Amino acid sequence: MSQWKQVQQLDIKFLEQVDYFYDDNFPMEIRQVLAGWIESQDWWVPFERVRFTDRVLKCRFHSSCHVLLLQGKYKGNPLHMAAVISNCLREERRILSTASMQEQVESRSERFSTSQGLRAAAVAKSCCPSSSSPHHLQEILTKMTDVIKEIDALMSSQLTPELMDWKRRQQIACIGGPLLTGLDQLQYWFTLTAQSLFQMKRQLDKLGELILKVTYDSDPIPLQKPQMEEQVKRLIYHLIKSSFVVEKQPCMPTHPQKPLIIKTQVQFTTKVRLLVKLPEVDYQLKVLDCCFFILTNNTKVMDVEESSNGCLSVEFRHLQLKERKYINGPKGNEGPLTVTEELHSLSFEAQLSIQGLNIDLETCSLPLVVISNVSQLPGGWASVMWYNLLTDEPKNLSFFSNPPRAGWSQLSEVLSWQFSTFAGRGLTREQLSMLGDKLLGQQSSHGDCQVSWSKFCKENIPGKPFSFWMWLDSILELIKKHLLPVWIDGYIMGFVSKETERALLKEKEPGTFLLRFSESHLGGITFTWVEQAENGEAKFNSVEPYTKSRLSALPFADIIRDYKVISDGNVPENPLKFLYPDIPKDEAFGKHYNSQQSKGNQTGGGPLKITFLFAATPPPSSSPEPPMSPGMFDMLNQHLDPFEIETAVSFSVLREAASSPSVESAHKTWPI
């Protein structure tokens, strides 16, 4: 059955949720008409294929007013359309999953209710004088035993696996994976199971009262009741202990998307929750750590007032850690490991008394990385990703003493999640393939390759003073702070080698350019355009990478718009015409321009970018300024303000452009 047909069969409350995220950006009518075709597409596809799907829409469905509206909204930006459709499909799947889980819970609830009715009838029967006969009592005890076995089986086969699955999904969500849901459903199930067990305990107590009133030889109650009581107590004890979970893993409010990294003496938050709704019960909860002092109050009362849904929970909002001073030797994890490879854990302890049962509660956070300086944050995040990707053991604090390898198929998905989480758009298959080449060397497929922890995070890239992860993390920071709109639109090809870059541009129109991340700088972006030399061969021109210091002064879209080259005495002109493969520059970046282009750019919100390009080595000069003849000055004066001319000539020229048209020319740009 298609996904859309499944959606149409949902209850009204779920259909209302579906209706919420369909609007003019993507009308539900389009979803209905094109259901089969939409679900058959991979909406994170190469750029050219997305443009093809855009043409398909234009050709096949031009008669629909809604499709015409869709075409107008996403004209020239098919990747945005792909992102919207992909998000809608993902939300549909999430709602279908929630509905399925609720249906299972309601089904089990009905079975539990039937069991409770059976037990109530059994109790009523046991209290009737006419039912003190051995035959009737044995029948009642047999039915109660069957119910206990059923609850035990459901806990083992359903409840425990569901809880373990939620914990694993929490690990994945911590490192950028799909949004974590399902805890409320788990709480409903835990609570229903607990209610059934407590009712069974009360019925056994009633049977105990009965034998005080009347008993006889071979009475089955004294023989079977103790064992049944032990079983029920064991199940209650196990259920409540396992329902004590860390709902929100420790996280600094300053870095909400990077949990499990804690800086000493900086406040962080965490939240624990009991998945069983109990009567009014308050109890003390303590937070403990073996390697650090917890500076703030580590004891709180856990009660229902802390939550909006009536469950027992508590949130610690102002915890801080301070490293212990060890007098008689080093702390436990020292050795060949770096600070960001040392793992720690917070423990949460409490004691609960209910219906005569004393239960010690304990749970722990996922392993933490504790840092003392924000410069350690990238390394710490790499450790958090590696651990939670490759193991589901909550207390394996020695993990990095012998870290396992990661399959590229696993690792590449996590890397894509980082771009989705921090930059609003994941990586395409082509971009991931390029990253695979960067990390593992060029291969036809990286699917079966294994990546070591050292190669990912500790070893430098050959010929570079930084590791693969440090290089990639610096790109993420650059996108998040300076390139976000252009990245979300899908206009940055990003991860492409110079060789591939030239192959892509070689047959394109002069002035076609593409954007890629620097391979030699941490956190740099550059662009290369193609020109046609006099002999007809392709000539490639690149600029020095723009880093955060330069992009802080001027938006990247304005840099593309205002880029100028002065060459051989010609009028300054912008050589950038088409974004690869063939999108007019202003069509791609126009909506992101911050100011209008004018001669007085220095007062219009952004400086003009000038590049001096020479076809041969400039003559020696004692001055770093390029030579300027009166004719050149007159020519510049027609197109630039005096301020712009004065500032431009105050900067030195980078180098000569190579005389061979097949060799990349060198450029440098300066803000004016």
Side-chain angles (χ1 to χ4, degrees):
M1 184 185 299
S2 70
Q3 181 171 310
W4 184 244
K5 286 185 178 179
Q6 295 179 56
V7 169
Q8 291 175 308
Q9 295 177 7
L10 290 171
D11 290 341
I12 184 66
K13 62 180 178 181
F14 294 112
L15 286 174
E16 289 174 352
Q17 296 179 35
V18 173
D19 184 65
Y20 177 78
F21 55 81
Y22 280 104
D23 52 23
D24 291 341
N25 289 323
F26 184 31
M28 190 177 288
E29 180 180 332
I30 301 296
R31 179 68 176 96
Q32 171 78 26
V33 172
L34 307 181
W37 180 74
I38 286 173
E39 292 177 30
S40 67
Q41 304 301 308
D42 180 358
W43 289 101
W44 291 111
V45 294
F47 186 81
E48 292 83 359
R49 280 191 58 194
V50 177
R51 289 182 60 80
F52 172 72
T53 62
D54 190 41
R55 290 197 294 271
V56 170
L57 281 175
K58 291 178 182 177
C59 295
R60 293 178 56 192
F61 306 105
H62 58 85
S63 60
S64 168
C65 62
H66 289 291
V67 175
L68 291 175
L69 178 65
L70 201 63
Q71 292 172 10
K73 179 173 282 293
Y74 298 112
K75 183 179 180 182
N77 195 1
L79 279 174
H80 189 193
M81 178 186 74
V84 170
I85 295 176
S86 175
N87 181 66
C88 288
L89 292 174
R90 183 170 57 249
E91 285 299 304
E92 285 180 8
R93 289 192 292 270
R94 182 187 63 79
I95 291 173
L96 285 170
S97 176
T98 300
S100 175
M101 182 176 292
Q102 178 162 324
E103 183 179 343
Q104 293 178 30
V105 169
E106 289 175 351
S107 173
R108 288 162 184 149
S109 174
E110 183 177 344
R111 292 173 62 189
F112 278 129
S113 297
T114 302
S115 299
Q116 289 175 10
L118 233 169
R119 293 193 295 274
V123 170
K125 214 173 192 184
S126 68
C127 295
C128 294
S130 62
S131 305
S132 293
S133 68
H135 175 73
H136 287 146
L137 284 176
Q138 187 58 55
E139 181 183 354
I140 292 168
L141 291 171
T142 299
K143 289 180 179 179
M144 293 178 71
T145 300
D146 290 341
V147 171
I148 294 172
K149 289 180 178 178
E150 180 184 0
I151 295 175
D152 192 0
L154 283 172
M155 287 175 59
S156 300
S157 64
Q158 300 291 334
L159 199 57
T160 299
E162 288 286 347
L163 178 61
M164 298 305 296
D165 178 68
W166 180 85
K167 289 183 176 181
R168 181 58 183 157
R169 287 188 289 112
Q170 185 186 49
Q171 284 187 269
I172 297 302
C174 282
I175 57 176
L179 184 67
L180 184 63
T181 58
L183 196 59
D184 287 340
Q185 286 86 351
L186 270 176
Q187 176 176 293
Y188 176 70
W189 197 3
F190 265 92
T191 300
L192 194 60
T193 305
Q195 289 171 348
S196 300
L197 287 169
F198 279 119
Q199 184 160 336
M200 178 64 69
K201 183 178 181 299
R202 287 192 293 270
Q203 291 171 357
L204 288 169
D205 292 341
K206 289 289 185 182
L207 289 177
E209 295 173 6
L210 180 62
I211 61 175
L212 293 177
K213 296 177 181 179
V214 58
T215 187
Y216 49 88
D217 292 340
S218 71
D219 187 343
I221 296 178
L223 295 175
Q224 299 183 38
K225 176 177 171 290
Q227 182 180 1
M228 295 170 66
E229 282 182 325
E230 285 301 314
Q231 289 177 313
V232 170
K233 288 180 180 179
R234 176 182 60 82
L235 292 176
I236 292 175
Y237 186 80
H238 176 71
L239 179 75
I240 293 182
K241 281 185 70 73
S242 63
S243 73
F244 191 42
V245 300
V246 180
E247 180 179 355
K248 295 180 181 178
Q249 294 292 334
C251 182
M252 295 186 293
T254 52
H255 295 83
Q257 295 169 321
K258 290 185 176 180
L260 303 172
I261 302 178
I262 305 301
K263 186 177 181 294
T264 52
Q265 299 188 341
V266 171
Q267 290 186 356
F268 65 94
T269 64
T270 185
K271 184 177 181 180
V272 293
R273 176 172 171 181
L274 196 70
L275 298 180
V276 176
K277 283 189 177 182
L278 296 173
E280 296 297 326
V281 177
D282 297 345
Y283 56 95
Q284 295 286 323
L285 180 71
K286 290 186 177 181
V287 186
L288 306 173
D289 185 273
C290 62
C291 294
F292 293 86
F293 287 117
I294 297 178
L295 298 183
T296 47
N297 182 19
N298 68 332
T299 302
K300 292 190 72 172
V301 173
M302 189 173 186
D303 58 36
V304 296
E305 294 181 0
E306 284 277 349
S307 67
S308 59
N309 58 4
C311 69
L312 285 166
S313 64
V314 63
E315 183 170 11
F316 292 87
R317 299 184 179 92
H318 306 291
L319 294 176
Q320 293 185 47
L321 297 182
K322 180 181 180 181
E323 191 166 2
R324 293 179 186 270
K325 299 298 182 181
Y326 289 86
I327 301 175
N328 298 322
K331 59 185 179 181
N333 242 355
E334 288 189 346
L337 301 182
T338 63
V339 170
T340 56
E341 293 172 315
E342 295 179 3
L343 300 179
H344 309 272
S345 180
L346 289 180
S347 296
F348 304 88
E349 297 179 356
Q351 286 187 333
L352 176 67
S353 295
I354 184 170
Q355 294 194 16
L357 297 176
N358 295 319
I359 303 174
D360 293 324
L361 300 177
E362 181 183 359
T363 189
C364 64
S365 70
L366 289 169
L368 307 171
V369 173
V370 181
I371 62 176
S372 57
N373 192 291
V374 291
S375 64
Q376 298 166 328
L377 193 64
W381 186 239
S383 297
V384 170
M385 286 193 298
W386 205 263
Y387 181 94
N388 288 287
L389 172 65
L390 296 177
T391 183
D392 56 6
E393 298 179 39
K395 296 184 179 180
N396 186 6
L397 302 185
S398 61
F399 176 83
F400 283 103
S401 61
N402 185 26
R405 292 173 174 262
W408 173 249
S409 58
Q410 298 172 288
L411 182 58
S412 61
E413 186 176 26
V414 175
L415 295 182
S416 184
W417 290 343
Q418 305 314 300
F419 284 82
S420 298
T421 301
F422 295 99
R425 184 177 182 275
L427 300 177
T428 65
R429 292 173 181 171
E430 284 68 27
Q431 288 170 326
L432 288 172
S433 178
M434 295 171 192
L435 284 179
D437 289 342
K438 180 79 173 176
L439 184 61
L440 300 165
Q442 290 191 348
Q443 301 180 37
S444 58
S445 173
H446 302 94
D448 297 328
C449 294
Q450 297 288 310
V451 183
S452 70
W453 164 244
S454 180
K455 190 172 186 64
F456 175 73
C457 187
K458 303 183 74 172
E459 299 175 7
N460 286 343
I461 297 173
K464 302 293 188 296
F466 45 78
S467 68
F468 173 85
W469 170 245
M470 293 300 293
W471 171 73
L472 196 63
D473 182 74
S474 68
I475 289 172
L476 274 166
E477 283 294 307
L478 189 73
I479 294 174
K480 184 170 66 172
K481 294 180 179 178
H482 302 292
L483 304 171
L484 200 59
V486 179
W487 171 261
I488 290 176
D489 283 347
Y491 291 146
I492 300 177
M493 183 171 290
F495 306 104
V496 55
S497 65
K498 291 183 179 180
E499 294 75 15
T500 303
E501 178 185 68
R502 294 183 180 187
L504 293 173
L505 292 173
K506 186 175 182 180
E507 304 300 328
K508 292 298 179 181
E509 289 288 323
T512 301
F513 66 100
L514 58 77
L515 311 177
R516 67 177 178 85
F517 298 117
S518 171
E519 295 183 286
S520 57
H521 290 67
L522 283 177
I525 187 169
T526 183
F527 50 83
T528 298
W529 73 90
V530 63
E531 294 177 350
Q532 190 173 30
E534 293 181 359
N535 61 2
E537 294 185 15
K539 179 181 178 182
F540 306 99
N541 308 283
S542 296
V543 297
E544 183 180 281
Y546 290 86
T547 58
K548 62 181 180 181
S549 60
R550 302 176 70 190
L551 293 174
S552 297
L554 187 67
F556 189 60
D558 286 5
I559 291 175
I560 298 295
R561 179 196 62 191
D562 298 335
Y563 192 80
K564 292 286 193 300
V565 170
I566 301 175
S567 177
D568 297 332
N570 295 325
V571 174
E573 65 173 19
N574 192 326
L576 310 177
K577 307 299 182 185
F578 305 98
L579 177 67
Y580 181 88
D582 55 8
I583 308 174
K585 175 189 63 181
D586 291 338
E587 182 179 314
F589 301 101
K591 64 181 179 181
H592 302 307
Y593 294 158
N594 278 7
S595 60
Q596 293 187 353
Q597 190 174 12
S598 67
K599 288 184 66 177
N601 252 336
Q602 68 276 11
T603 60
L608 184 69
K609 288 287 181 177
I610 299 290
T611 292
F612 290 96
L613 174 66
F614 293 88
T617 305
S621 172
S622 60
S623 169
E625 301 175 2
M628 182 174 292
S629 66
M632 170 67 79
F633 180 84
D634 291 340
M635 183 271 293
L636 289 177
N637 196 39
Q638 295 176 14
H639 299 277
L640 303 175
D641 289 342
F643 173 83
E644 295 172 329
I645 298 174
E646 180 182 354
T647 310
V649 299
S650 68
F651 293 96
S652 61
V653 180
L654 176 63
R655 292 189 187 95
E656 65 182 74
S659 57
S660 171
S662 62
V663 178
E664 180 183 27
S665 300
H667 298 257
K668 180 153 184 157
T669 59
W670 299 278
I672 292 180

